[in-house]
Amino acid sequence: MPVPKGSTIDPGRTRAAIVRTATALLYERGLDGIGVAELCTRLGVSKETLYRHFGTKEGLVEAVLEARSDGVVAWVGEAVAAAGDDPAAQLAAVFDALQQWYDEPAFRGCALVNAAAQHHVPQVRAITARHLGRYLDLLTSIAARAGAADPGLLGRQLLMLVEGATVVAAHGPAHPRARTPGAEARDAALALLAAAG
């Protein structure tokens, strides 16, 4: 990334800009869909800059996945907070937010789950496990606020609905009488929440 004349290099800003640009590119093309040379060209950085900030392409992938997880968790958390204090409304907000994401033209499924399936290596699997754990914490807290007899169990069931809806939205066949995956999963989640008290 060229530095305008008279300005100084800010390594933190450079790293953040690379991660931001690489996030969209790697989500669109897949982790193996672009080599280092093309990646550097598209990012506007030299290989030396990439390696200085991330060590390897895998280091960049890990940074991208961590940033993606942070962004998704914050976004879903904001949707839950905006829904007010009612746990059912909070849970519905999770699935409504997800459906908005599914409706985006660039939607390609969960970047972290895609990465774990594509790169079955310990580092990527650990990042994905932490991401799913963050979702689980949020869903379990909603279950606890709703008075579920076993919030941990209900949280896991809700997580399965979240991830299942995401996979179906990205890859599943359409059913002629089906509503959107987010709406169907929301209804199932609300039924589980109502029965878990």
mmCIF file of all heavy atoms in Angstrom, residues 28-50:
data_model
loop_
_atom_site.group_PDB
_atom_site.id
_atom_site.type_symbol
_atom_site.label_atom_id
_atom_site.label_comp_id
_atom_site.label_asym_id
_atom_site.label_seq_id
_atom_site.Cartn_x
_atom_site.Cartn_y
_atom_site.Cartn_z
ATOM 1 N N GLU A 28 -14.805 -14.360 -0.952
ATOM 2 C CA GLU A 28 -15.334 -14.516 -2.310
ATOM 3 C C GLU A 28 -14.670 -15.672 -3.053
ATOM 4 O O GLU A 28 -15.342 -16.473 -3.701
ATOM 5 C CB GLU A 28 -15.107 -13.228 -3.099
ATOM 6 C CG GLU A 28 -15.517 -13.318 -4.555
ATOM 7 C CD GLU A 28 -15.060 -12.115 -5.360
ATOM 8 O OE1 GLU A 28 -14.769 -11.057 -4.767
ATOM 9 O OE2 GLU A 28 -14.993 -12.252 -6.589
ATOM 10 N N ARG A 29 -13.357 -15.781 -2.946
ATOM 11 C CA ARG A 29 -12.604 -16.734 -3.761
ATOM 12 C C ARG A 29 -12.271 -18.034 -3.045
ATOM 13 O O ARG A 29 -11.866 -19.000 -3.682
ATOM 14 C CB ARG A 29 -11.300 -16.082 -4.218
ATOM 15 C CG ARG A 29 -11.461 -14.857 -5.094
ATOM 16 C CD ARG A 29 -11.583 -15.165 -6.559
ATOM 17 N NE ARG A 29 -10.438 -15.840 -7.100
ATOM 18 C CZ ARG A 29 -9.373 -15.242 -7.626
ATOM 19 N NH1 ARG A 29 -9.321 -13.927 -7.693
ATOM 20 N NH2 ARG A 29 -8.367 -15.950 -8.097
ATOM 21 N N GLY A 30 -12.386 -18.073 -1.736
ATOM 22 C CA GLY A 30 -11.971 -19.256 -0.986
ATOM 23 C C GLY A 30 -10.503 -19.166 -0.632
ATOM 24 O O GLY A 30 -9.729 -18.444 -1.269
ATOM 25 N N LEU A 31 -10.117 -19.909 0.381
ATOM 26 C CA LEU A 31 -8.747 -19.826 0.878
ATOM 27 C C LEU A 31 -7.732 -20.320 -0.139
ATOM 28 O O LEU A 31 -6.612 -19.827 -0.190
ATOM 29 C CB LEU A 31 -8.609 -20.616 2.183
ATOM 30 C CG LEU A 31 -9.539 -20.188 3.321
ATOM 31 C CD1 LEU A 31 -9.256 -21.008 4.554
ATOM 32 C CD2 LEU A 31 -9.394 -18.714 3.615
ATOM 33 N N ASP A 32 -8.106 -21.311 -0.932
ATOM 34 C CA ASP A 32 -7.189 -21.850 -1.932
ATOM 35 C C ASP A 32 -7.459 -21.298 -3.319
ATOM 36 O O ASP A 32 -6.798 -21.681 -4.275
ATOM 37 C CB ASP A 32 -7.287 -23.379 -1.963
ATOM 38 C CG ASP A 32 -6.769 -24.009 -0.689
ATOM 39 O OD1 ASP A 32 -5.861 -23.432 -0.069
ATOM 40 O OD2 ASP A 32 -7.284 -25.082 -0.309
ATOM 41 N N GLY A 33 -8.426 -20.393 -3.454
ATOM 42 C CA GLY A 33 -8.805 -19.871 -4.757
ATOM 43 C C GLY A 33 -7.928 -18.744 -5.248
ATOM 44 O O GLY A 33 -8.173 -18.204 -6.331
ATOM 45 N N ILE A 34 -6.907 -18.401 -4.479
ATOM 46 C CA ILE A 34 -6.026 -17.298 -4.878
ATOM 47 C C ILE A 34 -4.635 -17.550 -4.304
ATOM 48 O O ILE A 34 -4.486 -17.905 -3.137
ATOM 49 C CB ILE A 34 -6.608 -15.938 -4.403
ATOM 50 C CG1 ILE A 34 -5.817 -14.786 -4.951
ATOM 51 C CG2 ILE A 34 -6.732 -15.875 -2.897
ATOM 52 C CD1 ILE A 34 -6.521 -13.444 -4.812
ATOM 53 N N GLY A 35 -3.627 -17.412 -5.152
ATOM 54 C CA GLY A 35 -2.250 -17.598 -4.722
ATOM 55 C C GLY A 35 -1.681 -16.347 -4.098
ATOM 56 O O GLY A 35 -2.276 -15.263 -4.164
ATOM 57 N N VAL A 36 -0.508 -16.479 -3.524
ATOM 58 C CA VAL A 36 0.121 -15.362 -2.822
ATOM 59 C C VAL A 36 0.409 -14.203 -3.776
ATOM 60 O O VAL A 36 0.165 -13.041 -3.440
ATOM 61 C CB VAL A 36 1.412 -15.819 -2.098
ATOM 62 C CG1 VAL A 36 2.174 -14.631 -1.536
ATOM 63 C CG2 VAL A 36 1.074 -16.794 -0.984
ATOM 64 N N ALA A 37 0.901 -14.502 -4.981
ATOM 65 C CA ALA A 37 1.242 -13.421 -5.915
ATOM 66 C C ALA A 37 0.001 -12.607 -6.281
ATOM 67 O O ALA A 37 0.018 -11.372 -6.221
ATOM 68 C CB ALA A 37 1.902 -13.998 -7.170
ATOM 69 N N GLU A 38 -1.097 -13.299 -6.645
ATOM 70 C CA GLU A 38 -2.312 -12.565 -6.988
ATOM 71 C C GLU A 38 -2.893 -11.875 -5.769
ATOM 72 O O GLU A 38 -3.395 -10.742 -5.855
ATOM 73 C CB GLU A 38 -3.359 -13.499 -7.602
ATOM 74 C CG GLU A 38 -4.605 -12.759 -8.048
ATOM 75 C CD GLU A 38 -5.722 -13.643 -8.572
ATOM 76 O OE1 GLU A 38 -5.540 -14.868 -8.675
ATOM 77 O OE2 GLU A 38 -6.805 -13.090 -8.854
ATOM 78 N N LEU A 39 -2.843 -12.525 -4.627
ATOM 79 C CA LEU A 39 -3.338 -11.929 -3.392
ATOM 80 C C LEU A 39 -2.612 -10.610 -3.114
ATOM 81 O O LEU A 39 -3.252 -9.589 -2.838
ATOM 82 C CB LEU A 39 -3.153 -12.911 -2.233
ATOM 83 C CG LEU A 39 -3.660 -12.508 -0.866
ATOM 84 C CD1 LEU A 39 -5.164 -12.276 -0.883
ATOM 85 C CD2 LEU A 39 -3.313 -13.583 0.160
ATOM 86 N N CYS A 40 -1.289 -10.613 -3.232
ATOM 87 C CA CYS A 40 -0.521 -9.390 -2.990
ATOM 88 C C CYS A 40 -0.873 -8.311 -4.005
ATOM 89 O O CYS A 40 -1.017 -7.134 -3.645
ATOM 90 C CB CYS A 40 0.980 -9.691 -3.016
ATOM 91 S SG CYS A 40 1.533 -10.606 -1.560
ATOM 92 N N THR A 41 -1.045 -8.708 -5.263
ATOM 93 C CA THR A 41 -1.430 -7.728 -6.291
ATOM 94 C C THR A 41 -2.777 -7.114 -5.962
ATOM 95 O O THR A 41 -2.954 -5.899 -6.013
ATOM 96 C CB THR A 41 -1.467 -8.407 -7.677
ATOM 97 O OG1 THR A 41 -0.161 -8.884 -7.978
ATOM 98 C CG2 THR A 41 -1.920 -7.439 -8.752
ATOM 99 N N ARG A 42 -3.739 -7.955 -5.603
ATOM 100 C CA ARG A 42 -5.080 -7.458 -5.293
ATOM 101 C C ARG A 42 -5.095 -6.607 -4.025
ATOM 102 O O ARG A 42 -5.894 -5.692 -3.890
ATOM 103 C CB ARG A 42 -6.070 -8.627 -5.143
ATOM 104 C CG ARG A 42 -6.278 -9.460 -6.394
ATOM 105 C CD ARG A 42 -7.224 -8.823 -7.401
ATOM 106 N NE ARG A 42 -8.536 -8.551 -6.906
ATOM 107 C CZ ARG A 42 -9.565 -9.377 -6.954
ATOM 108 N NH1 ARG A 42 -9.422 -10.579 -7.488
ATOM 109 N NH2 ARG A 42 -10.741 -9.024 -6.483
ATOM 110 N N LEU A 43 -4.219 -6.940 -3.078
ATOM 111 C CA LEU A 43 -4.140 -6.169 -1.837
ATOM 112 C C LEU A 43 -3.330 -4.894 -2.007
ATOM 113 O O LEU A 43 -3.407 -3.987 -1.173
ATOM 114 C CB LEU A 43 -3.508 -7.014 -0.726
ATOM 115 C CG LEU A 43 -4.285 -8.244 -0.257
ATOM 116 C CD1 LEU A 43 -3.449 -9.053 0.723
ATOM 117 C CD2 LEU A 43 -5.602 -7.838 0.372
ATOM 118 N N GLY A 44 -2.520 -4.849 -3.051
ATOM 119 C CA GLY A 44 -1.676 -3.678 -3.272
ATOM 120 C C GLY A 44 -0.472 -3.644 -2.361
ATOM 121 O O GLY A 44 -0.002 -2.563 -1.985
ATOM 122 N N VAL A 45 0.036 -4.828 -1.995
ATOM 123 C CA VAL A 45 1.220 -4.905 -1.134
ATOM 124 C C VAL A 45 2.231 -5.863 -1.754
ATOM 125 O O VAL A 45 1.888 -6.707 -2.570
ATOM 126 C CB VAL A 45 0.871 -5.382 0.299
ATOM 127 C CG1 VAL A 45 -0.094 -4.436 0.978
ATOM 128 C CG2 VAL A 45 0.334 -6.798 0.312
ATOM 129 N N SER A 46 3.455 -5.731 -1.321
ATOM 130 C CA SER A 46 4.494 -6.660 -1.764
ATOM 131 C C SER A 46 4.428 -7.932 -0.909
ATOM 132 O O SER A 46 3.839 -7.948 0.175
ATOM 133 C CB SER A 46 5.874 -6.018 -1.609
ATOM 134 O OG SER A 46 6.161 -5.827 -0.228
ATOM 135 N N LYS A 47 5.061 -8.985 -1.433
ATOM 136 C CA LYS A 47 5.146 -10.219 -0.640
ATOM 137 C C LYS A 47 5.872 -9.953 0.677
ATOM 138 O O LYS A 47 5.504 -10.499 1.714
ATOM 139 C CB LYS A 47 5.869 -11.317 -1.425
ATOM 140 C CG LYS A 47 5.066 -11.896 -2.557
ATOM 141 C CD LYS A 47 5.851 -13.006 -3.242
ATOM 142 C CE LYS A 47 5.099 -13.519 -4.452
ATOM 143 N NZ LYS A 47 5.851 -14.586 -5.148
ATOM 144 N N GLU A 48 6.886 -9.099 0.603
ATOM 145 C CA GLU A 48 7.652 -8.776 1.810
ATOM 146 C C GLU A 48 6.757 -8.138 2.871
ATOM 147 O O GLU A 48 6.867 -8.453 4.061
ATOM 148 C CB GLU A 48 8.825 -7.847 1.468
ATOM 149 C CG GLU A 48 9.903 -8.478 0.620
ATOM 150 C CD GLU A 48 9.547 -8.608 -0.867
ATOM 151 O OE1 GLU A 48 8.597 -7.923 -1.340
ATOM 152 O OE2 GLU A 48 10.190 -9.417 -1.551
ATOM 153 N N THR A 49 5.875 -7.249 2.437
ATOM 154 C CA THR A 49 4.953 -6.613 3.382
ATOM 155 C C THR A 49 4.005 -7.646 3.982
ATOM 156 O O THR A 49 3.772 -7.663 5.197
ATOM 157 C CB THR A 49 4.155 -5.487 2.691
ATOM 158 O OG1 THR A 49 5.076 -4.494 2.235
ATOM 159 C CG2 THR A 49 3.148 -4.852 3.632
ATOM 160 N N LEU A 50 3.479 -8.515 3.136
ATOM 161 C CA LEU A 50 2.577 -9.562 3.625
ATOM 162 C C LEU A 50 3.293 -10.431 4.656
ATOM 163 O O LEU A 50 2.766 -10.677 5.744
ATOM 164 C CB LEU A 50 2.075 -10.412 2.455
ATOM 165 C CG LEU A 50 1.128 -11.544 2.841
ATOM 166 C CD1 LEU A 50 -0.259 -10.985 3.130
ATOM 167 C CD2 LEU A 50 1.053 -12.571 1.731
#
